[in-house]
Amino acid sequence: MNALKTIDRNRLAVIGVGLAAVLFLAVNLAVNLSLRSAQVDLTERGLYTLSDGTRKVLTSLTEPITLRLYFTRALGESYPGHQAYANRVRELLERYVNISGGKIRLEVKNPEAFSEVEDEAVTFGLQGLPYDQSGDRGYFGLAGTNSVDGKAVIPYFTTEREPFLEYDLTKLVYSLATLDRPVVGMVARLPVEGGFMMGQRPVPAWAVINQIRELFDVRTMPAEFNAVPPEFGMLMLVHPKNLSDETLYAIDQFVMRGGRVLAFIDPNAETEAPNPQAPAGPSDIDRLLKSWGVTFIKDKVAADLQSARRVNVRHEGQITQVDYVAWNSLDRRNLDTTDAVVADIRDLNVGSAGIIEPAEGATTTFRPLVTTSENSEALDVAKLQGRIDIVGLFRDFKPSGKKLVMAARVTGPVKSAFPDGPPLIGEGPDAEKARAEKAKTHLAESQKPLNAVIVADTDVLHEGLWAEIRNVNGEQLMVPYAGNSDFVINAVENLSGGDVLLGLRSRGDSKRPFLMVEKIQLEAERKFRAEQEKLAQELQETQKRIEGLTNREGANGEAILTAEEKTAIAEFRRKMIDIRHDLRNVQHALRKDIDALDAWLKFLNIAAIPLILGFAALVIAVVRRLSRAGARPVTE
């Protein structure tokens, strides 16, 4: 201490600053090395926390997998956002390497222009994008290979898919690690797998089918078949109808042997194209459904006011927005979140979905998975065919007060839909002989309990209802805005026995609906529509009266009309102006209520917390001041 007292104060200050700088650098270096991977995920849905599904996939790897991350550094210099995203991808992959216990090997490569690494990236099928005036291409993709030369690729990491990064990476690893994929038989009466339509251009396969093919061995069944191959674990039925007894019997016996079924049935398949050979109509497997303990109401559609989707329609000569009660955006309130198939689904879009119910006397357990709210109505299918009066459906909506089931899981023992044995196919002794031969293996009761998921909507499958196509750097990129594909793939995985990816999907959606705002807006709009319809009808009648009187006018308009009629016309015109004024007031009132609510919400979000904190600080300061004043000794 005495030595320090002898040192000049200026020198001590310089030494102190130097020591502080060294300490600062040392702490930063230590933190960077030891806590580099430490993160705190404060998002509600844990968007940045690895799911149990990912950990299960990574820890169950038995064969080595090599992942090659290609990122052109010059691309990151031109676009800092890409650099930040590339860092996140690399850090996430490094965590995959650690969790896999060395089964995953990561290589990070810089594919510069005209280099061998660029040739390698192109060979894998990665997509390069020009990033400067010279036209050099930059790469930002991932290629994975396994020990049997299997390959999986993400051609380019686009920011639009960033919320689904973990899912995309884990799915890639899972596809490389799973060599024997479950077999799914597809029986479809809709063009879900694409193909050539009569007189039209080739139709691509529906997006959800392509996604299922990435994880399963999907095999299309012929139009008619007499048996389901034994290696099939489940059947996926899409709008089944006009199936022969032979095919129905094959499906029935598949179920009796313990086969699982995912059925999409529909009373009004909006994606069904007109076909003179197969006219549109409801799905028809009543015979099978009855044996499974399910009743399908063919002439009704489940409408729900609470989850109705807002659409633009032309009404009274104007484009207006209205809630289409037959198109629904369902959320977790409509899902049985205790079932693995929908446990992690946040939202689901359906289009004119049907209604299913447990059949009377059923031996199975009927467990609703997707339902409407109690603000629902069973609409006649006829109201949704031809020219649809969407405004009228909204205006005349009558809540039933009960929930309608759109999808359900059905489990339990069942009996064959063919109690008398296999059907007779054809005529004559040969047909009888074939029937007798088949009867030897006929199963009258299920060997294993039925496990089926029945969805009363086929439109739920089409990407037009749950995703939008964006053009990103010349590439068509699909960005989901609802969890339809997650729901479908979850169901396929669950029924086929796999569930490792169940908890992984739907984590990327950060949409937060303002439920209270939607409710207030809905109530206000219903009142507005009713008032608008009333005023519009009065306006129309007034205009007709004026036209009826003015049609009697002569060339100068003075010769035919009496003074009373002229007064009536003036009165009607004044009334018409008043009605139009009232219409504007109704519209203004609706907008005013919504704007006022919006202003209050903004105030609460922006200013409320600072005001509360400021007020609390003021109260504390006053209390302390009063306490000090009370404690001060009194002097005379």
Side-chain angles (χ1 to χ4, degrees), residues 254-303:
F254 170 75
V255 172
M256 293 303 112
R257 294 196 304 270
R260 303 181 178 191
V261 174
L262 173 59
F264 293 89
I265 55 178
D266 203 329
N268 183 48
E270 299 182 22
T271 52
E272 186 172 20
N275 186 349
Q277 297 179 346
S283 306
D284 184 15
I285 51 171
D286 293 356
R287 187 170 189 171
L288 296 177
L289 291 176
K290 184 179 179 181
S291 73
W292 301 344
V294 178
T295 298
F296 172 44
I297 302 176
K298 290 184 175 181
D299 59 346
K300 297 290 184 182
V301 166

Side-chain angles (χ1 to χ4, degrees), residues 49-60 96 166 170-171 174 344 499-505 507:
T49 300
L50 289 183
S51 69
D52 293 338
T54 293
R55 293 182 181 278
K56 189 173 181 179
V57 169
L58 298 178
T59 55
S60 62
Y96 277 40
E166 183 191 347
T170 304
K171 186 179 70 173
Y174 181 75
D344 293 306
D499 59 357
V500 292
L501 298 181
L502 281 180
L504 184 56
R505 302 187 187 90
R507 292 152 47 85

Side-chain angles (χ1 to χ4, degrees), residues 375-390:
N375 203 0
S376 67
E377 180 183 11
L379 289 177
D380 291 336
V381 170
K383 292 184 177 179
L384 302 180
Q385 295 174 340
R387 187 173 182 179
I388 305 172
D389 182 8
I390 295 177

